[in-house]
Amino acid sequence: MAAGDAFLLTSQFAAAALFLLLACVLLAVRFNSRVNRAFAIFLMLRGASLLFLALARWQIGQASYDALFDTARYLLLAQPFALAYFAAVYVRPQGGALVRSIGVLAVLGAIVTELVFLVDHCTVVCTADPLVPGPLMVVLQATPLAQAIVGMVLVVNARRQLLEPRGKATAIVAAAFTLLALLESAAILVTLETHGWRGFHAPFIE
């Protein structure tokens, strides 16, 4: 295994464990908090997708490789909708009709997106040479940028609320987003250096 591949595999396993652990910590700190539960959903999706990607890279058999990568892609496609719901709950932690509406739209959007991908995997990317990105690739590529922006906002809020009950949970959330952006950026750079454009899209190729 090349050094770049070993680093990518290790970072994915580490990140998966970190995000799943952070989800458990958030729920343990304050399970009754709507904000904590919403972000825990996103962290679980993110951690599980990274875990399946790492397991896929670790596999040798083509059948298990395809099955693990397919599972990871479905989890990846659901993450933008979980992030949107978290953003709505974070802005309005008391809930209300608007938050409920956004939650319903997020669930419906995730279901429709998953069904579209189920019917045609080329909606993400086709394996033609050169690769042909599909419309759903825009959703996947926009997610890391959104995570970075939300993370920066949360860092600022965490500093202001550090002495308040909500401050500790906000600090945990901010740390998760910041680490996520750093680890994902490092993984992308390593994959581009090692495998080029095709390797960059490897998790999304059928």
Side-chain angles (χ1 to χ4, degrees), residues 124-139:
V124 171
V125 64
C126 283
T127 54
D129 196 6
L131 296 175
V132 181
L136 293 183
M137 180 60 73
V138 176
V139 178

Side-chain angles (χ1 to χ4, degrees), residues 102-135:
I102 293 176
V104 171
L105 290 174
V107 172
L108 292 176
I111 292 174
V112 171
T113 301
E114 301 286 358
L115 289 175
V116 169
F117 180 63
L118 176 65
V119 173
D120 184 6
H121 282 14
C122 282
T123 52
V124 171
V125 64
C126 283
T127 54
D129 196 6
L131 296 175
V132 181

Side-chain angles (χ1 to χ4, degrees), residues 34-35 38 84-100 102 166:
R34 185 181 285 106
V35 175
Y85 177 64
F86 163 72
V89 171
Y90 184 80
V91 173
R92 294 198 176 187
Q94 70 278 9
L98 178 60
V99 173
R100 287 194 297 271
I102 293 176
R166 191 182 176 187

Side-chain angles (χ1 to χ4, degrees), residues 28-188:
V29 168
R30 196 177 176 189
F31 181 81
N32 292 333
S33 170
R34 185 181 285 106
V35 175
N36 287 27
R37 292 198 305 269
F39 190 60
I41 291 172
F42 171 76
L43 284 177
M44 288 179 181
L45 286 171
R46 190 62 187 167
S49 65
L50 288 172
L51 178 61
F52 279 106
L53 286 175
L55 288 172
R57 292 181 184 278
W58 199 23
Q59 292 297 315
I60 299 176
Q62 187 65 36
S64 58
Y65 176 91
D66 291 340
L68 290 167
F69 259 130
D70 281 342
T71 303
R73 283 181 284 184
Y74 285 108
L75 292 169
L76 287 165
L77 286 171
Q79 290 171 28
F81 302 97
L83 184 60
Y85 177 64
F86 163 72
V89 171
Y90 184 80
V91 173
R92 294 198 176 187
Q94 70 278 9
L98 178 60
V99 173
R100 287 194 297 271
S101 299
I102 293 176
V104 171
L105 290 174
V107 172
L108 292 176
I111 292 174
V112 171
T113 301
E114 301 286 358
L115 289 175
V116 169
F117 180 63
L118 176 65
V119 173
D120 184 6
H121 282 14
C122 282
T123 52
V124 171
V125 64
C126 283
T127 54
D129 196 6
L131 296 175
V132 181
L136 293 183
M137 180 60 73
V138 176
V139 178
L140 291 178
Q141 300 304 330
T143 303
L145 177 59
Q147 292 166 359
I149 294 173
V150 173
M152 291 171 60
V153 173
L154 293 178
V155 168
V156 174
N157 288 338
R159 288 174 59 86
R160 295 174 179 172
Q161 302 173 352
L162 198 56
L163 299 180
E164 301 177 8
R166 191 182 176 187
K168 293 182 180 179
T170 304
I172 294 173
V173 172
F177 268 112
T178 304
L179 289 171
L180 176 59
L182 289 173
L183 288 170
E184 186 159 6
S185 298
I188 289 174

